[in-house]
Amino acid sequence: MTVRFALLGPVEVSADGRALDGLAPRHRAVLAYLLLHAGTVIGPDRLTTAMWADTPPDTSRAQIHAAVTAIRRVLRTAGTEDTLATRAAGYVVTPEAGTLDLAEFTRLTATAQRLAATDPRTAVDQLREALALWRGDALTGVNAAYARGTRARLEERRLAAVERLAELELALGRHDALVDELATWVAAYPLRERLVGQLMRALHAAGRQTDALAAARRYRDSLAELQGLDPGRAFLAVEQSILRGPEPEPVVTAETPPPGQSERAANFLPYDVADFTGRTVELDRLLTGPTPRICTIDGMAGVGKTALAVHAAHRLADRYPDGQLFVDLRAHTAGQPPVDAATALYTLLRQLGVAPDHIPLGESERSARWRAELARRCVLVVLDNAADTDHVRPLLPGVTDSLVLVTSRRRLVDLDSAHTLSIDVLPTPDAVALFTSIVGDRARASYAAVGEVLRMCGFLPLAVRIAAARLHHRPRWTVEHLADRLRDERRRLTELATAERGVAAAFTLSYQHLPPRQQRLFRLLGLLPGRDVDAHAAAALADADADDTDADLEHLLDAHMLAQHEPARYTFHDLLREHARATCAAQDTDDTRHAALTRLFDYYLRTAAAAIDVLYPDTRHRRPPVAPPAAGREFTTASAGAWLDAERANLAAVCARAADGDWPTHAANLATILYRYLYDNAHHADARDIYTAALAAGRRLGDRGAQSRSLADLGWLSFGQGAYRSAGDQFAQAVEHGRAAGDDVAEARAWHGLGSVHQQRRDPARASEHLTRAIELFRGRNDRFGEAVGLNTLGAVQAQAGQHPQAHDALHRALMLFREVGSPGGEADVLDNLGRAHRQRGAPAEAREHHRQALELYRRFGYRRGEARALNGLGDAAADVGDQAGAAEHHGDALAVARDVGDRLEQARAHEGLAYAHAGQAPAAARDNAEQALGLYAQLGEPEPGELRALLAHPPG
């Protein structure tokens, strides 16, 4: 069966030429994004952003998971399930060669490009084959956030191929056949200058000079009406050649720059740096499309605003024949005051050629004269380094054909009708190109070290230039030596400075222009342990009103002292973070910094406790008592989960900083509060960091109970990942610490963990002994949730041992207790174990129903680890009644979920179930799944099922 994937038209998966059903529009959007990045692992967060940009729904992760499951189901029907794989960091699609139309289009057009000079006829054939792959607009039917931009980029590649094809056909003398084809494309893209020029040449070569000139007139009129522009010089050359009579020689190209411009009498632009690099997207916005009258370019200090404005101005100079003017307003120039409007107007009027004795004295009169001069001229004006909107407003023209480019470190949001361009740091390829252009061969020989240097420069153009210049002027240095010097964060800003310029100096100028309250907030934000912050956390840090802090954060954002990657969350550029930290250390006392961090840690502790209480009210009694958060901060189930998801990395950083500093109790308590959330949602990496920090904090405090809780938390983390030996060691230590502390609940949790480890080792006697001890301790403390957990596990152990009456009693008592304390997660666990118990006693219908109920609860409350377990239970129940197709579907879904959450035991069970399900129809798949199951069981130290080994030894058929 030949399976193909299509993106160049409606998004489809087809087998043997027949489109496969089963994918809804959202599923196709996810599939298309994975195919666009074939071979690259795409994480859930990146997928979410691609689908919904900055406004994902609360159910975004569930929708992504549902889409991946649906895609797998379709691929499974086509026998190509391995095309979509789950990795630790996300999902990856790897279609076979020749099965993805976009990859084929890329291959064919590259081949044509290579053959164009030596074998143009074959190149034409390759391009026509490539264009035949298109079945309409790319990504038809996909409405995700990423689709519009991607569709435009793909269409640009299609048009470039059409233009290359036309050029080759014209060179081969096939103009007659080409006329109708080019006319169709020009009708669709009437402002595509190269296409129009090719149509004109084809018409002229076919003896249709009048039609060629008519096409030129239509283009000229449309360009003037829609964009207010004149055609380029190459187009004019083609038109003039047609007017002269012979077949035109000039070619309108997309790649060749126009000839050198003539010298202008009034060109005051600074020199354009020879090694200007990148900014392709920004330049495209400035150089193409409708031309605005005012364009503002804003960004943080050192990001290259002036370089971009000057480079664009030189590129645009031909369009403004009456001159190119420049004035530095010096809003952020060390040792010099800003240039006021009256002085700037005098400079601009003099650049226009107005005599000094004709320039009025007052600012308002000069502004009027300036507007009058521009009303009859077409000039380009660069107003560099503006402070704010008021600084430039008197310098703006009235009715004019001129263009004004304004650069500022602040977003000029009050300039009505201005075209705004906010620029960020350089993309990695552009930063590498800039660094290499300055350093030369040493950079080309040390690519990895170059990447490290650029990361430590934060890809900020000023920092990259300074680092490269230092290396360039020190021939004995290597790139690795420069990287070593930059690794010390305390010295990094010192290293990124020369005698005349420095990153820290640029940042200091921006800082000095802030009001005092915003300066204080900026400094304190440098203390943040995490990567970003919202207004509530920032207000706690600054001991300020949340609304005032929100306004200050927005002002810092407008001043490009902060960045924002998602609404209502603020972060630093790495170098600005270090500048804020250093400024805080220099200007604020130790007591001030300590008090600020204490307020921040109190905020996180209290807010996390409030969110967890909403999500897990059944275990509130186990968490340390914490004061409520600030008034007005209340959570629903959805908002509590969203807050924890958004703050998870910050909470881990807070825990580590608190444990290392003067707040070990905060670290220990925060870990205890977050346990259920981290475990239930399989946040393994953050959980390990938090529990390890909490254990260190407990040791610093000499608190044996805290150490017991942290060791048990680490034990359950190891247990969930199938590391039973480590889990057993951690639980045993937790028992000793809990007993020494006299903390019965901590000791009981540890005994329960030990019992669970022995359950997995198929040792029911020792498992029952440990679990019984745990249940007794929980009962002694009237911990009904703990008692229910212990009874649930004990019932599962008894069912495995064939003690069905005892298992039935323990599980139903657990179910009753979970319902009494209001624990839907615990209820789902019991229902899942009841399903297994019914299956073990030969009642598959009852087993299926209990697993179904468990799965419904797991999905309702987002407990994915339990979801994998329940799906495997449904697969086993289906196999018991001979429904191998249903078994394969359930085990396949379980495998996907288990991989997502890193549950190796459920992965092994899913592979085992798939091996049995495929045994009769697909022996190769059965063998592969059996081998994977046995490998996982061996890694886990689990006794391997003898039936699997027998299946490998004696495959069916």
Side-chain angles (χ1 to χ4, degrees):
M1 182 181 293
T2 302
V3 177
R4 297 189 180 279
F5 301 89
L7 297 176
L8 305 180
V11 176
E12 288 181 352
V13 182
S14 62
D16 294 337
R18 181 180 61 84
L20 300 179
D21 297 324
L23 293 180
R26 178 64 64 194
H27 306 158
R28 295 177 191 276
V30 172
L31 173 61
Y33 192 81
L34 293 171
L35 288 168
L36 286 165
H37 302 85
T40 300
V41 176
I42 305 296
D45 290 342
R46 183 173 170 186
L47 270 173
T48 299
T49 301
M51 295 302 116
W52 295 282
D54 295 328
T55 56
D58 293 339
T59 59
S60 58
R61 282 187 173 270
Q63 290 191 46
I64 294 292
H65 169 62
V68 170
T69 300
I71 295 166
R72 278 207 175 92
R73 190 175 296 120
V74 170
L75 295 178
R76 194 180 301 133
T77 65
T80 184
E81 182 183 3
D82 291 342
T83 301
L84 173 57
T86 301
R87 299 285 185 263
Y91 308 99
V92 61
V93 166
T94 51
E96 293 181 4
T99 63
L100 175 58
D101 59 2
L102 177 57
E104 283 298 283
F105 177 80
T106 301
R107 180 184 66 80
L108 290 164
T109 52
T111 303
Q113 184 80 4
R114 191 172 63 253
L115 295 174
T118 58
D119 189 358
R121 286 179 171 80
T122 303
V124 165
D125 293 340
Q126 295 284 299
L127 285 170
R128 290 206 174 276
E129 185 179 349
L131 290 167
L133 293 168
W134 288 74
R135 299 164 296 114
D137 292 338
L139 308 180
T140 297
V142 174
N143 297 312
Y146 74 87
R148 183 177 180 181
T150 303
R151 191 177 292 119
R153 288 190 291 274
L154 292 174
E155 186 66 9
E156 178 60 32
R157 292 179 60 186
R158 182 188 190 184
L159 290 169
V162 169
E163 290 169 345
R164 286 199 296 272
L165 173 65
E167 208 59 57
L168 289 169
E169 295 277 38
L170 285 168
L172 292 170
R174 300 172 177 174
H175 39 267
D176 287 315
L178 197 59
V179 167
D180 289 342
E181 187 175 353
L182 281 174
T184 301
W185 282 106
V186 168
Y189 295 93
L191 298 183
R192 188 87 177 182
E193 187 165 284
R194 192 181 186 195
L195 274 176
V196 177
Q198 289 169 332
L199 174 60
M200 292 162 56
R201 291 165 57 206
L203 287 166
H204 187 214
R208 299 167 58 181
Q209 182 187 32
T210 302
D211 291 338
L213 293 173
R217 282 194 301 274
R218 285 193 299 272
Y219 173 72
R220 184 187 293 277
D221 292 343
S222 296
L223 191 65
E225 180 181 351
L226 297 175
Q227 295 190 355
L229 298 175
D230 292 324
R233 297 187 180 196
F235 180 93
L236 296 175
V238 172
E239 187 179 39
Q240 288 300 315
S241 181
I242 294 172
L243 286 168
R244 286 194 300 270
E247 182 174 344
E249 291 299 327
V251 175
V252 179
T253 68
E255 297 81 16
T256 307
Q261 63 186 46
S262 61
E263 185 174 326
R264 302 287 182 180
N267 188 331
F268 292 90
L269 295 176
Y271 80 99
D272 189 10
V273 292
D275 54 8
F276 184 89
T277 304
R279 299 298 185 198
T280 305
V281 174
E282 293 88 344
L283 283 170
D284 186 62
R285 289 181 62 186
L286 289 169
L287 302 179
T288 64
T291 304
R293 295 293 143 240
I294 304 168
C295 179
T296 65
I297 302 173
D298 60 69
M300 66 182 289
V303 82
K305 301 177 291 298
T306 300
L308 174 62
V310 170
H311 184 74
H314 280 285
R315 295 275 298 273
L316 290 164
D318 274 354
R319 304 182 194 177
Y320 300 92
D322 295 330
Q324 299 83 44
L325 316 182
F326 180 91
V327 63
D328 181 0
L329 298 175
R330 297 199 308 230
H332 300 91
T333 301
Q336 299 186 54
V339 173
D340 60 47
T343 304
L345 286 164
Y346 181 88
T347 301
L348 291 167
L349 288 168
R350 288 292 294 124
Q351 289 179 3
L352 281 179
V354 178
D357 57 349
H358 285 74
I359 297 176
L361 294 177
E363 177 187 309
S364 59
E365 291 80 6
R366 286 180 180 180
S367 184
R369 178 64 186 269
W370 168 245
R371 290 194 296 272
E373 292 290 336
L374 291 192
R376 58 188 181 84
R377 301 175 191 255
C378 182
V379 299
L380 187 153
V381 184
V382 177
L383 303 177
D384 187 42
N385 201 1
D388 51 30
T389 301
D390 291 339
H391 198 182
V392 297
R393 200 183 297 280
L395 312 180
L396 301 180
V399 177
T400 182
D401 291 329
S402 299
L403 169 65
V404 179
L405 297 178
V406 184
T407 74
S408 177
R409 296 187 185 184
R410 177 172 290 278
R411 289 180 173 88
L412 306 181
V413 295
D414 294 325
L415 281 185
D416 296 336
S417 302
H419 177 90
T420 300
L421 186 62
S422 294
I423 62 174
D424 203 347
V425 297
L426 290 172
T428 301
D430 292 349
V432 171
L434 175 60
F435 188 87
T436 304
S437 70
I438 298 171
V439 174
D441 290 340
R442 279 181 290 170
R444 297 184 189 94
S446 304
Y447 188 79
V450 168
E452 189 174 4
V453 167
L454 295 176
R455 282 191 295 276
M456 288 185 285
C457 290
F459 301 95
L460 185 70
L462 175 61
V464 173
R465 283 189 176 277
I466 291 174
R470 295 196 69 194
L471 190 60
H472 176 71
H473 289 286
R474 288 162 175 76
R476 295 187 179 277
W477 281 18
T478 64
V479 183
E480 289 79 5
H481 177 73
L482 176 61
D484 286 340
R485 295 178 69 93
L486 292 173
R487 283 194 186 95
D488 185 348
E489 292 185 358
R490 293 168 300 177
R491 288 181 44 81
R492 189 172 297 166
L493 289 173
T494 303
E495 292 288 334
L496 294 174
T498 64
E500 296 185 355
R501 59 181 178 172
V503 173
F507 291 164
T508 297
L509 288 169
S510 294
Y511 170 80
Q512 289 171 346
H513 280 74
L514 298 173
R517 193 174 76 185
Q518 291 171 25
Q519 287 185 351
R520 176 176 178 271
L521 178 60
F522 173 79
R523 296 196 307 271
L524 293 178
L525 289 173
L527 299 173
L528 289 171
R531 300 301 300 173
D532 66 357
V533 70
D534 67 5
H536 295 282
L541 181 75
D543 195 20
D545 176 76
D547 289 339
D548 290 342
T549 303
D550 182 68
D552 287 340
L553 289 168
E554 286 294 310
H555 283 300
L556 289 171
L557 181 66
D558 284 341
H560 288 284
M561 299 297 280
L562 291 176
Q564 189 172 73
H565 300 308
E566 55 184 296
R569 301 200 67 82
Y570 305 85
T571 188
F572 278 114
H573 181 277
D574 286 345
L575 294 177
L576 264 173
R577 184 191 310 277
E578 180 54 36
H579 184 68
R581 187 178 296 128
T583 306
C584 187
Q587 297 188 18
D588 295 301
T589 66
D590 290 345
D591 289 345
T592 297
R593 296 195 298 274
H594 189 279
L597 283 173
T598 300
R599 291 191 299 269
L600 180 71
F601 297 163
D602 284 345
Y603 162 80
Y604 275 119
L605 190 69
R606 294 169 181 174
T607 310
I612 293 293
D613 282 349
V614 170
L615 294 176
Y616 304 102
D618 50 355
T619 50
R620 182 180 289 133
H621 63 284
R622 287 192 176 177
R623 294 188 284 272
V626 173
R633 196 68 192 265
E634 296 182 358
F635 288 113
T636 64
T637 300
S639 64
W643 185 86
L644 288 164
D645 289 342
E647 297 285 1
R648 187 174 69 250
N650 289 333
L651 291 166
V654 164
C655 204
R657 178 72 177 85
D660 289 340
D662 296 334
W663 306 269
T665 302
H666 283 74
N669 287 343
L670 189 57
T672 300
I673 287 167
L674 294 173
Y675 168 74
R676 285 283 300 279
Y677 163 75
L678 295 170
Y679 185 82
D680 285 3
N681 292 280
H683 297 310
H684 302 313
D686 289 324
R688 189 168 299 282
D689 291 343
I690 288 171
Y691 301 156
T692 302
L695 180 59
R699 287 170 176 162
R700 283 187 61 195
L701 291 166
D703 186 336
R704 302 288 296 272
Q707 292 175 63
S708 176
R709 288 189 291 276
S710 298
L711 284 163
D713 291 344
L714 285 165
W716 283 114
L717 179 62
S718 299
F719 183 90
Q721 295 178 292
Y724 300 128
R725 178 172 297 178
S726 296
D729 291 342
Q730 288 156 341
F731 286 135
Q733 294 178 60
V735 166
E736 293 304 316
H737 282 292
R739 182 183 295 141
D743 189 332
D744 289 350
V745 172
E747 183 183 350
R749 284 187 72 223
W751 281 119
H752 176 235
L754 277 175
S756 299
V757 169
H758 286 295
Q759 177 193 17
Q760 296 304 322
R761 291 174 175 169
R762 303 295 193 273
D763 185 351
R766 294 190 69 186
S768 297
E769 176 187 347
H770 294 327
L771 292 167
T772 300
R773 177 61 178 149
I775 292 167
E776 290 171 350
L777 287 168
F778 282 131
R779 280 179 183 155
R781 287 293 181 177
N782 195 30
D783 188 335
R784 292 187 297 160
F785 177 86
E787 181 183 353
V789 170
L791 286 167
N792 182 38
T793 308
L794 179 62
V797 169
Q798 291 167 335
Q800 288 172 349
Q803 300 167 2
H804 298 302
Q806 296 93 323
H808 180 274
D809 180 59
L811 290 171
H812 279 86
R813 284 161 57 205
L815 186 62
M816 177 190 68
L817 284 170
F818 277 132
R819 286 172 174 167
E820 285 180 2
V821 299
S823 176
E827 184 179 346
D829 287 342
V830 177
L831 289 168
D832 189 61
N833 278 335
L834 280 168
R836 297 181 189 280
H838 283 301
R839 181 171 177 262
Q840 286 156 356
R841 70 177 184 82
E846 291 90 337
R848 183 171 61 251
E849 177 58 20
H850 281 87
H851 287 309
R852 185 196 64 75
Q853 293 179 39
L855 180 62
E856 181 181 335
L857 281 171
Y858 286 138
R859 284 180 170 167
R860 185 188 309 166
F861 292 96
Y863 183 22
R864 304 203 67 214
R865 192 190 304 277
E867 184 181 345
R869 198 161 55 236
L871 284 166
N872 271 330
L874 283 170
D876 292 338
D880 286 345
V881 296
D883 180 8
Q884 299 304 334
E889 180 176 353
H890 289 310
H891 286 305
D893 291 345
L895 181 61
V897 176
R899 283 173 171 167
D900 282 349
V901 301
D903 191 327
R904 292 189 296 165
L905 177 59
E906 294 306 325
Q907 289 178 51
R909 288 173 175 165
H911 279 302
E912 180 183 359
L914 287 168
Y916 298 140
H918 290 312
Q921 299 294 326
R927 181 179 185 85
D928 177 63
N929 279 285
E931 289 174 346
Q932 293 194 59
L934 289 170
L936 284 166
Y937 282 134
Q939 293 173 26
L940 297 170
E942 286 270 316
E944 64 182 42
E947 298 90 338
L948 272 181
R949 189 63 65 183
L951 180 65
L952 285 174
H954 305 289

